[in-house]
């Protein structure tokens, strides 16, 4: 029975990804290369949620690639995990132009996609990887699995180290 549930979860998530690929809920649909739905283990206990796809994510269709992804991979390795152990998604599924901050209406348009992913994956824990300001703008109370303290975004770490004199 466990295998059937996992197979059903994979099929449901794949179906929802296909449905989301044509999303036009907000103006970002006109400027994206593709929807960046999410990636990883659909049966994961841990779901990481970022803010929005950047340039490399928009090109590849996978969240957290490029330098931020390499740092995330190192952080995961430090706690004995790999990407195949977790699932990664973003609140926004489309890249904002010039990587600008997401607008409230874009967040409101995309939140239902994220919450549906959470319902389908059923992780034990959802960890926000985002700036504090961004996390406050997302209706995290709408889903009980969010925790209060977000991790710093891997994409911000090199900049923070440089500012603090660590690089």
């Amino acid at each position: 029975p466990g295998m059937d549930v996992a197979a059903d979860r994979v099929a449901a998530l794949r179906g929802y990804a296909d449905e989301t690929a044509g999303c036009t809920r907000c103006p970002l649909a006109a400027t994206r290369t593709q929807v960046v739905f999410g990636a990883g283990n659909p049966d994961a206990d841990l779901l990481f949620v970022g803010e929005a796809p950047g340039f490399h994510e928009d090109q590849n269709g996978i969240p957290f690639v490029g330098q931020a992804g390499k740092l995330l991979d190192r952080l995961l390795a430090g706690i004995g995990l790999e990407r195949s152990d977790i699932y990664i998604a973003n609140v926004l599924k489309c890249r904002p132009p010039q990587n600008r901050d997401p607008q409230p209406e874009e967040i409101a348009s995309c939140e239902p996609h994220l919450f549906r992913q959470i319902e389908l994956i059923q992780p034990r824990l959802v960890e926000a990887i985002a700036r504090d300001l961004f996390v406050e703008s997302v209706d995290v109370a709408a889903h009980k699995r969010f925790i209060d303290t977000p991790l710093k975004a891997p994409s911000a770490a090199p900049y923070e180290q440089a500012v603090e004199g660590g690089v």
Side-chain angles (χ1 to χ4, degrees):
M3 193 60 125
D4 290 340
V5 170
D8 289 348
R9 184 174 295 161
V10 169
L13 196 60
R14 186 174 295 127
Y16 192 62
D18 291 345
E19 180 183 323
T20 306
C23 180
T24 57
R25 289 184 181 181
C26 79
L28 293 179
T31 59
R32 70 175 181 234
T33 301
Q34 60 188 312
V35 167
V36 181
F37 182 75
N41 182 349
D43 208 27
D45 286 334
L46 179 58
L47 170 64
F48 283 105
V49 178
E51 181 177 59
F55 173 80
H56 296 289
E57 290 78 8
D58 187 47
Q59 297 298 307
N60 293 294
I62 301 168
F64 285 91
V65 295
Q67 292 296 17
K70 289 176 186 173
L71 179 55
L72 179 61
D73 290 343
R74 288 196 306 271
L75 293 171
L76 288 172
I79 59 171
L81 295 174
E82 298 177 355
R83 283 190 187 230
S84 60
D85 298 317
I86 64 165
Y87 198 90
I88 307 171
N90 287 305
V91 174
L92 294 192
K93 306 305 181 199
C94 300
R95 177 184 180 229
Q98 291 80 46
N99 288 344
R100 66 156 167 72
D101 288 344
Q103 302 299 307
E105 60 275 7
E106 295 163 353
I107 294 168
S109 294
C110 259
E111 270 183 340
H113 292 314
L114 174 63
F115 293 142
R116 181 66 180 137
Q117 285 176 295
I118 293 169
E119 289 172 18
L120 291 170
I121 296 165
Q122 298 180 5
R124 290 178 158 202
L125 179 66
V126 176
E127 177 64 59
I129 307 176
R131 298 183 313 237
D132 296 341
L133 179 64
F134 171 73
V135 172
E136 290 170 10
S137 69
V138 175
D139 187 8
V140 294
H143 203 285
K144 64 182 178 186
R145 287 190 179 95
F146 272 101
I147 65 170
D148 294 332
T149 308
L151 295 174
K152 290 291 182 184
S155 57
Y159 307 110
E160 289 179 358
Q161 289 172 357
V163 168
E164 294 170 3
V167 172

